[in-house]
Amino acid sequence: MAENTTTTRRRPRSIDEHDEPLANTPDRRVTIRSVRSLYGAQHTQQGIVLGPDHHHHEPLSFFECLKVILFATRINILLLFIPLGIIASKLHWAPVTVFVLNFIAIIPLAKLLGYATEEIAMRLGDNLGALLNASFGNAVELILSIVALKEGKIDVVQASVLGSVLSNLLLVLGFCFICGGYKFQQQKFNQTAAQTSSSLLSLACLSLLIPAAFVATAKEIDHKDHIQSLSYGTSIVLLVVYILYLYFQLKTHTHLYATENEEEEEPVLPVWMSIALLLIVTLVVALCAEYLVDSIEGLSESWHISPTFIGLILLPIVGNAAEHVTAVTVAMKNKMDLAIGVAIGSSMQIALFVTPVMVLVGWFIGQPMTLFFNTFETCIMFVSVLIVNYLIQDGESNWLEGVQLLSTYVIIAIAVFYYPSE
């Protein structure tokens, strides 16, 4: 079989608890899903036989492929919530029930989406594979945002993209520092790579500060059209910067993202099965996302919470649950470079890719999505990026730094809960 592997994307979506990073050359880091993590010790009972080098040389049958997909991770038990969520929506159950069922259903779908993406990416080689991973790395967040934007819920879209940035920067990174610090007194990571991502986050934060400052200081004019034009231009600039960042990571400065050599992996599923899985999961995610977004208004009225709290605190859990587990797991193995890449890299991609894409999609479909966030949201974004930049500038972490990040997130969550809805 081909030995192509996949260059590390900003967040390896399908890494499970046994996943490891590897480098096939000293200056190239790639992400693997170990074949052992797919099969495990119990898979000899399933009739699947591996060779002595742990590679599966015989092509899998259709039913064997289904077994590999379904038993790839324990999270897949939550797939049972997909039909429940669809039935709840079709039968017009209570909005809270519809929201909760579809909320849980999207979590394993996000995992499967990343699994299918990396299966295809491994066959495309380093550069194309990394581009595919980067494109689909936030597919769940993109789908949720597009569905909400199509229905005119711009406040939910803005809160969800901001919430994804905050949850990765504060919640995930905080847990990584705490759990890793529980086992290791001091953990080190690549300071240059981490600060590159955090400086790009600062640029994204600037793109939100400028529209807010523009509105605050230009009250004497009708700034609505000006803000939209400013947002369109800024979004194009951010997308260009993101593309250049990919070139920086994959071409000119690959040594900053290098790790130790461990083992090599080959794809498990046939190409047609990987593509079919990617398409089917994407469609199911879109369906569950539509039901989820439709139930937000009813959930807000039933639980007496604002749509901002739902978008900023609750929705980011959907697309990031698998990555949360991944980052904490590798941090406890003292692989802080990978943990930092998952947490900060994910936030950076949301800020530089997903947010400007949503502005341009809104432009295309006629929804006035802009980069103008209210003063409250802009302030918490600025403070969060500032704190993270301070904590990673020395290239070391400990559990107390994790406590600081989690404390910041809890304070923000409390403030958002009591923030009055418009």
Short mmCIF file of all heavy atoms in Angstrom, two decimals, residues 150-210:
data_model
loop_
_atom_site.label_atom_id
_atom_site.label_comp_id
_atom_site.label_asym_id
_atom_site.label_seq_id
_atom_site.Cartn_x
_atom_site.Cartn_y
_atom_site.Cartn_z
N LYS A 150 -28.50 31.16 7.67
CA LYS A 150 -29.58 31.07 6.67
C LYS A 150 -30.93 31.44 7.28
O LYS A 150 -31.79 31.98 6.60
CB LYS A 150 -29.62 29.64 6.11
CG LYS A 150 -30.68 29.40 5.04
CD LYS A 150 -30.50 28.04 4.42
CE LYS A 150 -30.66 26.92 5.45
NZ LYS A 150 -32.09 26.77 5.89
N GLU A 151 -31.10 31.15 8.57
CA GLU A 151 -32.35 31.47 9.25
C GLU A 151 -32.33 32.86 9.90
O GLU A 151 -33.24 33.22 10.63
CB GLU A 151 -32.65 30.40 10.30
CG GLU A 151 -32.83 29.01 9.70
CD GLU A 151 -33.26 27.99 10.72
OE1 GLU A 151 -33.57 28.39 11.87
OE2 GLU A 151 -33.33 26.80 10.37
N GLY A 152 -31.26 33.61 9.64
CA GLY A 152 -31.20 34.98 10.13
C GLY A 152 -30.77 35.13 11.58
O GLY A 152 -30.88 36.23 12.14
N LYS A 153 -30.29 34.07 12.20
CA LYS A 153 -29.86 34.13 13.60
C LYS A 153 -28.39 34.58 13.66
O LYS A 153 -27.49 33.81 14.02
CB LYS A 153 -30.05 32.78 14.28
CG LYS A 153 -31.52 32.35 14.42
CD LYS A 153 -31.62 31.03 15.12
CE LYS A 153 -33.07 30.70 15.48
NZ LYS A 153 -33.93 30.52 14.31
N ILE A 154 -28.16 35.82 13.29
CA ILE A 154 -26.79 36.34 13.22
C ILE A 154 -26.15 36.41 14.60
O ILE A 154 -24.95 36.14 14.75
CB ILE A 154 -26.79 37.73 12.54
CG1 ILE A 154 -27.29 37.61 11.10
CG2 ILE A 154 -25.40 38.35 12.57
CD1 ILE A 154 -27.41 38.92 10.37
N ASP A 155 -26.95 36.73 15.63
CA ASP A 155 -26.39 36.80 16.97
C ASP A 155 -25.90 35.43 17.44
O ASP A 155 -24.88 35.32 18.12
CB ASP A 155 -27.42 37.37 17.94
CG ASP A 155 -28.72 36.58 17.94
OD1 ASP A 155 -28.97 35.88 16.95
OD2 ASP A 155 -29.48 36.68 18.92
N VAL A 156 -26.62 34.38 17.05
CA VAL A 156 -26.20 33.03 17.41
C VAL A 156 -24.92 32.65 16.67
O VAL A 156 -24.02 32.02 17.24
CB VAL A 156 -27.32 32.01 17.10
CG1 VAL A 156 -26.84 30.58 17.33
CG2 VAL A 156 -28.55 32.28 17.96
N VAL A 157 -24.82 33.03 15.40
CA VAL A 157 -23.61 32.74 14.62
C VAL A 157 -22.40 33.42 15.24
O VAL A 157 -21.35 32.80 15.45
CB VAL A 157 -23.79 33.18 13.15
CG1 VAL A 157 -22.50 32.96 12.37
CG2 VAL A 157 -24.93 32.42 12.49
N GLN A 158 -22.54 34.71 15.53
CA GLN A 158 -21.42 35.45 16.12
C GLN A 158 -21.03 34.87 17.48
O GLN A 158 -19.85 34.72 17.79
CB GLN A 158 -21.79 36.92 16.26
CG GLN A 158 -21.90 37.65 14.93
CD GLN A 158 -22.19 39.13 15.10
OE1 GLN A 158 -22.90 39.53 16.02
NE2 GLN A 158 -21.66 39.94 14.21
N ALA A 159 -22.04 34.52 18.29
CA ALA A 159 -21.74 33.95 19.60
C ALA A 159 -21.08 32.58 19.49
O ALA A 159 -20.18 32.24 20.26
CB ALA A 159 -23.02 33.85 20.43
N SER A 160 -21.49 31.77 18.50
CA SER A 160 -20.95 30.41 18.38
C SER A 160 -19.49 30.43 17.91
O SER A 160 -18.67 29.66 18.41
CB SER A 160 -21.80 29.57 17.43
OG SER A 160 -21.76 30.10 16.12
N VAL A 161 -19.16 31.31 16.96
CA VAL A 161 -17.76 31.36 16.51
C VAL A 161 -16.87 31.94 17.60
O VAL A 161 -15.75 31.46 17.83
CB VAL A 161 -17.61 32.17 15.20
CG1 VAL A 161 -18.32 31.46 14.06
CG2 VAL A 161 -18.11 33.60 15.34
N LEU A 162 -17.37 32.94 18.31
CA LEU A 162 -16.60 33.49 19.44
C LEU A 162 -16.48 32.45 20.54
O LEU A 162 -15.41 32.30 21.15
CB LEU A 162 -17.28 34.75 19.96
CG LEU A 162 -16.62 35.42 21.17
CD1 LEU A 162 -15.20 35.86 20.84
CD2 LEU A 162 -17.45 36.60 21.65
N GLY A 163 -17.56 31.71 20.81
CA GLY A 163 -17.53 30.67 21.83
C GLY A 163 -16.56 29.56 21.51
O GLY A 163 -15.91 29.00 22.40
N SER A 164 -16.43 29.20 20.22
CA SER A 164 -15.48 28.17 19.82
C SER A 164 -14.04 28.61 20.10
O SER A 164 -13.21 27.83 20.56
CB SER A 164 -15.64 27.84 18.33
OG SER A 164 -16.89 27.24 18.08
N VAL A 165 -13.77 29.88 19.82
CA VAL A 165 -12.43 30.43 20.11
C VAL A 165 -12.16 30.39 21.61
O VAL A 165 -11.11 29.93 22.07
CB VAL A 165 -12.30 31.86 19.57
CG1 VAL A 165 -10.98 32.48 20.01
CG2 VAL A 165 -12.40 31.88 18.05
N LEU A 166 -13.13 30.85 22.40
CA LEU A 166 -12.93 30.93 23.85
C LEU A 166 -12.83 29.55 24.49
O LEU A 166 -12.02 29.33 25.39
CB LEU A 166 -14.07 31.71 24.49
CG LEU A 166 -14.20 33.18 24.10
CD1 LEU A 166 -15.38 33.82 24.81
CD2 LEU A 166 -12.93 33.94 24.42
N SER A 167 -13.65 28.60 24.05
CA SER A 167 -13.63 27.28 24.66
C SER A 167 -12.30 26.57 24.41
O SER A 167 -11.78 25.89 25.29
CB SER A 167 -14.79 26.42 24.14
OG SER A 167 -14.62 26.13 22.76
N ASN A 168 -11.73 26.76 23.22
CA ASN A 168 -10.43 26.15 22.93
C ASN A 168 -9.30 26.87 23.65
O ASN A 168 -8.40 26.24 24.20
CB ASN A 168 -10.18 26.15 21.43
CG ASN A 168 -10.91 25.04 20.71
OD1 ASN A 168 -10.57 23.87 20.82
ND2 ASN A 168 -11.94 25.41 19.98
N LEU A 169 -9.37 28.20 23.67
CA LEU A 169 -8.29 28.98 24.30
C LEU A 169 -8.27 28.83 25.81
O LEU A 169 -7.20 28.72 26.42
CB LEU A 169 -8.46 30.46 23.96
CG LEU A 169 -7.82 30.99 22.68
CD1 LEU A 169 -8.00 32.49 22.60
CD2 LEU A 169 -6.36 30.63 22.58
N LEU A 170 -9.44 28.83 26.43
CA LEU A 170 -9.51 28.86 27.89
C LEU A 170 -9.87 27.50 28.49
O LEU A 170 -9.17 27.01 29.39
CB LEU A 170 -10.54 29.91 28.33
CG LEU A 170 -10.29 31.34 27.84
CD1 LEU A 170 -11.42 32.26 28.27
CD2 LEU A 170 -8.95 31.86 28.35
N LEU A 171 -10.94 26.90 28.01
CA LEU A 171 -11.41 25.65 28.60
C LEU A 171 -10.49 24.48 28.26
O LEU A 171 -9.99 23.78 29.16
CB LEU A 171 -12.84 25.36 28.12
CG LEU A 171 -13.54 24.16 28.75
CD1 LEU A 171 -13.74 24.38 30.24
CD2 LEU A 171 -14.88 23.90 28.06
N VAL A 172 -10.24 24.26 26.97
CA VAL A 172 -9.41 23.11 26.56
C VAL A 172 -7.97 23.30 27.02
O VAL A 172 -7.37 22.39 27.63
CB VAL A 172 -9.47 22.93 25.02
CG1 VAL A 172 -8.61 21.77 24.60
CG2 VAL A 172 -10.90 22.73 24.57
N LEU A 173 -7.40 24.45 26.74
CA LEU A 173 -6.01 24.69 27.12
C LEU A 173 -5.85 24.67 28.64
O LEU A 173 -4.84 24.18 29.17
CB LEU A 173 -5.53 26.03 26.55
CG LEU A 173 -4.02 26.28 26.57
CD1 LEU A 173 -3.29 25.21 25.77
CD2 LEU A 173 -3.69 27.66 26.01
N GLY A 174 -6.85 25.18 29.34
CA GLY A 174 -6.80 25.15 30.80
C GLY A 174 -6.78 23.73 31.34
O GLY A 174 -5.98 23.39 32.23
N PHE A 175 -7.64 22.85 30.80
CA PHE A 175 -7.65 21.46 31.23
C PHE A 175 -6.35 20.75 30.85
O PHE A 175 -5.86 19.89 31.58
CB PHE A 175 -8.85 20.72 30.63
CG PHE A 175 -10.08 20.80 31.46
CD1 PHE A 175 -11.23 21.41 30.98
CD2 PHE A 175 -10.11 20.28 32.74
CE1 PHE A 175 -12.38 21.49 31.75
CE2 PHE A 175 -11.25 20.35 33.52
CZ PHE A 175 -12.39 20.95 33.03
N CYS A 176 -5.78 21.12 29.70
CA CYS A 176 -4.49 20.53 29.30
C CYS A 176 -3.40 20.88 30.32
O CYS A 176 -2.62 20.00 30.74
CB CYS A 176 -4.08 21.05 27.92
SG CYS A 176 -5.04 20.38 26.56
N PHE A 177 -3.34 22.14 30.72
CA PHE A 177 -2.32 22.56 31.68
C PHE A 177 -2.54 21.90 33.04
O PHE A 177 -1.59 21.51 33.71
CB PHE A 177 -2.36 24.09 31.83
CG PHE A 177 -1.76 24.83 30.67
CD1 PHE A 177 -1.81 26.22 30.61
CD2 PHE A 177 -1.15 24.14 29.62
CE1 PHE A 177 -1.25 26.90 29.54
CE2 PHE A 177 -0.60 24.83 28.55
CZ PHE A 177 -0.65 26.21 28.50
N ILE A 178 -3.80 21.78 33.46
CA ILE A 178 -4.08 21.19 34.77
C ILE A 178 -3.80 19.69 34.77
O ILE A 178 -3.11 19.18 35.67
CB ILE A 178 -5.55 21.46 35.18
CG1 ILE A 178 -5.74 22.93 35.51
CG2 ILE A 178 -5.95 20.59 36.38
CD1 ILE A 178 -7.17 23.30 35.88
N CYS A 179 -4.34 18.97 33.78
CA CYS A 179 -4.16 17.52 33.74
C CYS A 179 -2.70 17.15 33.49
O CYS A 179 -2.17 16.20 34.09
CB CYS A 179 -5.05 16.91 32.67
SG CYS A 179 -6.83 17.11 33.01
N GLY A 180 -2.04 17.89 32.60
CA GLY A 180 -0.63 17.64 32.38
C GLY A 180 0.21 18.02 33.60
O GLY A 180 1.15 17.30 33.97
N GLY A 181 -0.16 19.12 34.26
CA GLY A 181 0.56 19.54 35.44
C GLY A 181 0.35 18.63 36.64
O GLY A 181 1.16 18.62 37.57
N TYR A 182 -0.74 17.85 36.61
CA TYR A 182 -0.97 16.88 37.69
C TYR A 182 0.07 15.77 37.66
O TYR A 182 0.46 15.25 38.70
CB TYR A 182 -2.38 16.32 37.54
CG TYR A 182 -2.71 15.21 38.53
CD1 TYR A 182 -3.02 15.53 39.85
CD2 TYR A 182 -2.70 13.88 38.13
CE1 TYR A 182 -3.31 14.52 40.76
CE2 TYR A 182 -2.99 12.87 39.04
CZ TYR A 182 -3.30 13.19 40.35
OH TYR A 182 -3.60 12.19 41.24
N LYS A 183 0.52 15.41 36.45
CA LYS A 183 1.51 14.33 36.31
C LYS A 183 2.93 14.84 36.19
O LYS A 183 3.87 14.15 36.55
CB LYS A 183 1.17 13.48 35.08
CG LYS A 183 -0.18 12.78 35.17
CD LYS A 183 -0.38 11.83 34.00
CE LYS A 183 0.61 10.70 34.03
NZ LYS A 183 0.35 9.71 32.96
N PHE A 184 3.09 16.06 35.66
CA PHE A 184 4.43 16.62 35.45
C PHE A 184 4.49 18.01 36.09
O PHE A 184 3.61 18.83 35.86
CB PHE A 184 4.75 16.71 33.96
CG PHE A 184 4.63 15.41 33.22
CD1 PHE A 184 3.44 15.08 32.58
CD2 PHE A 184 5.68 14.51 33.18
CE1 PHE A 184 3.31 13.88 31.89
CE2 PHE A 184 5.56 13.31 32.49
CZ PHE A 184 4.38 12.99 31.86
N GLN A 185 5.54 18.25 36.84
CA GLN A 185 5.64 19.53 37.55
C GLN A 185 5.74 20.70 36.59
O GLN A 185 5.13 21.75 36.80
CB GLN A 185 6.85 19.52 38.49
CG GLN A 185 6.94 20.75 39.37
CD GLN A 185 8.08 20.67 40.38
OE1 GLN A 185 9.04 19.93 40.16
NE2 GLN A 185 7.96 21.39 41.47
N GLN A 186 6.49 20.54 35.52
CA GLN A 186 6.65 21.59 34.52
C GLN A 186 6.70 20.93 33.14
O GLN A 186 7.39 19.94 32.95
CB GLN A 186 7.95 22.37 34.76
CG GLN A 186 7.97 23.76 34.17
CD GLN A 186 7.24 24.77 35.05
OE1 GLN A 186 6.83 24.44 36.16
NE2 GLN A 186 7.08 25.99 34.56
N GLN A 187 5.93 21.47 32.20
CA GLN A 187 5.90 20.93 30.85
C GLN A 187 6.36 22.00 29.86
O GLN A 187 5.98 23.17 29.99
CB GLN A 187 4.49 20.45 30.49
CG GLN A 187 4.03 19.24 31.29
CD GLN A 187 2.64 18.79 30.89
OE1 GLN A 187 1.66 19.47 31.16
NE2 GLN A 187 2.56 17.63 30.26
N LYS A 188 7.17 21.59 28.89
CA LYS A 188 7.69 22.51 27.90
C LYS A 188 7.07 22.23 26.54
O LYS A 188 6.70 21.11 26.22
CB LYS A 188 9.22 22.40 27.82
CG LYS A 188 9.92 22.81 29.12
CD LYS A 188 11.44 22.78 28.96
CE LYS A 188 12.13 23.22 30.24
NZ LYS A 188 13.60 23.24 30.11
N PHE A 189 7.01 23.27 25.72
CA PHE A 189 6.48 23.14 24.37
C PHE A 189 7.22 24.12 23.47
O PHE A 189 7.98 24.98 23.94
CB PHE A 189 4.97 23.40 24.34
CG PHE A 189 4.53 24.65 25.04
CD1 PHE A 189 4.54 25.87 24.39
CD2 PHE A 189 4.11 24.60 26.36
CE1 PHE A 189 4.14 27.03 25.04
CE2 PHE A 189 3.71 25.76 27.02
CZ PHE A 189 3.72 26.97 26.35
N ASN A 190 7.01 23.96 22.16
CA ASN A 190 7.68 24.80 21.18
C ASN A 190 7.15 26.23 21.29
O ASN A 190 6.04 26.53 20.87
CB ASN A 190 7.45 24.24 19.76
CG ASN A 190 8.29 24.95 18.72
OD1 ASN A 190 8.45 26.17 18.74
ND2 ASN A 190 8.84 24.18 17.80
N GLN A 191 7.95 27.09 21.87
CA GLN A 191 7.52 28.46 22.13
C GLN A 191 7.26 29.23 20.84
O GLN A 191 6.28 29.98 20.74
CB GLN A 191 8.60 29.16 22.95
CG GLN A 191 8.26 30.59 23.33
CD GLN A 191 9.36 31.22 24.17
OE1 GLN A 191 10.38 30.61 24.42
NE2 GLN A 191 9.16 32.46 24.58
N THR A 192 8.10 29.05 19.83
CA THR A 192 7.95 29.80 18.58
C THR A 192 6.67 29.44 17.86
O THR A 192 5.92 30.32 17.41
CB THR A 192 9.16 29.54 17.66
OG1 THR A 192 10.36 29.86 18.35
CG2 THR A 192 9.05 30.39 16.40
N ALA A 193 6.37 28.14 17.75
CA ALA A 193 5.16 27.72 17.06
C ALA A 193 3.91 28.19 17.80
O ALA A 193 2.94 28.65 17.18
CB ALA A 193 5.14 26.19 16.92
N ALA A 194 3.93 28.09 19.13
CA ALA A 194 2.78 28.50 19.92
C ALA A 194 2.55 30.01 19.79
O ALA A 194 1.41 30.47 19.64
CB ALA A 194 2.96 28.12 21.38
N GLN A 195 3.62 30.78 19.82
CA GLN A 195 3.47 32.24 19.72
C GLN A 195 3.08 32.68 18.31
O GLN A 195 2.44 33.71 18.15
CB GLN A 195 4.76 32.92 20.16
CG GLN A 195 4.98 32.88 21.67
CD GLN A 195 6.05 33.85 22.13
OE1 GLN A 195 6.97 34.17 21.37
NE2 GLN A 195 5.95 34.33 23.36
N THR A 196 3.46 31.90 17.30
CA THR A 196 3.01 32.20 15.94
C THR A 196 1.50 32.13 15.85
O THR A 196 0.84 33.01 15.30
CB THR A 196 3.65 31.23 14.93
OG1 THR A 196 5.07 31.37 14.97
CG2 THR A 196 3.15 31.51 13.53
N SER A 197 0.93 31.05 16.42
CA SER A 197 -0.52 30.90 16.41
C SER A 197 -1.20 31.97 17.24
O SER A 197 -2.22 32.55 16.84
CB SER A 197 -0.91 29.51 16.94
OG SER A 197 -0.43 28.49 16.09
N SER A 198 -0.64 32.28 18.41
CA SER A 198 -1.27 33.28 19.28
C SER A 198 -1.16 34.69 18.69
O SER A 198 -2.06 35.52 18.87
CB SER A 198 -0.64 33.26 20.67
OG SER A 198 0.73 33.61 20.61
N SER A 199 -0.09 34.97 17.95
CA SER A 199 0.02 36.28 17.31
C SER A 199 -1.01 36.42 16.18
O SER A 199 -1.56 37.50 15.96
CB SER A 199 1.44 36.50 16.77
OG SER A 199 1.76 35.54 15.78
N LEU A 200 -1.28 35.31 15.49
CA LEU A 200 -2.33 35.34 14.47
C LEU A 200 -3.70 35.53 15.12
O LEU A 200 -4.58 36.18 14.55
CB LEU A 200 -2.31 34.04 13.66
CG LEU A 200 -1.12 33.88 12.70
CD1 LEU A 200 -1.08 32.48 12.11
CD2 LEU A 200 -1.18 34.92 11.59
N LEU A 201 -3.88 34.96 16.31
CA LEU A 201 -5.11 35.20 17.05
C LEU A 201 -5.25 36.67 17.41
O LEU A 201 -6.36 37.23 17.40
CB LEU A 201 -5.13 34.34 18.32
CG LEU A 201 -5.79 32.97 18.23
CD1 LEU A 201 -5.65 32.24 19.55
CD2 LEU A 201 -7.25 33.09 17.83
N SER A 202 -4.14 37.30 17.76
CA SER A 202 -4.17 38.73 18.06
C SER A 202 -4.61 39.53 16.85
O SER A 202 -5.35 40.51 16.97
CB SER A 202 -2.79 39.20 18.54
OG SER A 202 -2.39 38.52 19.70
N LEU A 203 -4.16 39.11 15.67
CA LEU A 203 -4.60 39.76 14.44
C LEU A 203 -6.10 39.61 14.25
O LEU A 203 -6.80 40.58 13.88
CB LEU A 203 -3.85 39.16 13.24
CG LEU A 203 -4.31 39.60 11.85
CD1 LEU A 203 -4.11 41.11 11.67
CD2 LEU A 203 -3.57 38.83 10.77
N ALA A 204 -6.60 38.41 14.50
CA ALA A 204 -8.04 38.18 14.39
C ALA A 204 -8.81 39.02 15.41
O ALA A 204 -9.90 39.54 15.12
CB ALA A 204 -8.35 36.70 14.58
N CYS A 205 -8.25 39.15 16.60
CA CYS A 205 -8.88 39.98 17.63
C CYS A 205 -8.92 41.44 17.18
O CYS A 205 -9.91 42.15 17.41
CB CYS A 205 -8.11 39.83 18.95
SG CYS A 205 -8.82 40.72 20.35
N LEU A 206 -7.87 41.89 16.53
CA LEU A 206 -7.82 43.26 16.00
C LEU A 206 -8.93 43.48 14.98
O LEU A 206 -9.53 44.56 14.92
CB LEU A 206 -6.46 43.51 15.36
CG LEU A 206 -6.25 44.88 14.68
CD1 LEU A 206 -6.24 45.98 15.73
CD2 LEU A 206 -4.96 44.89 13.88
N SER A 207 -9.23 42.44 14.19
CA SER A 207 -10.27 42.57 13.17
C SER A 207 -11.65 42.76 13.79
O SER A 207 -12.58 43.23 13.11
CB SER A 207 -10.27 41.33 12.26
OG SER A 207 -10.74 40.19 12.96
N LEU A 208 -11.81 42.37 15.07
CA LEU A 208 -13.08 42.62 15.76
C LEU A 208 -13.07 43.95 16.51
O LEU A 208 -14.11 44.60 16.65
CB LEU A 208 -13.36 41.48 16.76
CG LEU A 208 -13.42 40.06 16.21
CD1 LEU A 208 -13.82 39.09 17.31
CD2 LEU A 208 -14.40 39.97 15.04
N LEU A 209 -11.89 44.33 16.98
CA LEU A 209 -11.78 45.59 17.71
C LEU A 209 -12.02 46.80 16.82
O LEU A 209 -12.65 47.78 17.23
CB LEU A 209 -10.40 45.69 18.37
CG LEU A 209 -10.15 44.83 19.60
CD1 LEU A 209 -8.68 44.91 20.00
CD2 LEU A 209 -11.03 45.29 20.76
N ILE A 210 -11.52 46.74 15.59
CA ILE A 210 -11.62 47.90 14.70
C ILE A 210 -13.08 48.22 14.35
O ILE A 210 -13.49 49.39 14.44
CB ILE A 210 -10.77 47.67 13.44
CG1 ILE A 210 -9.28 47.74 13.80
CG2 ILE A 210 -11.10 48.70 12.37
CD1 ILE A 210 -8.34 47.50 12.65
#
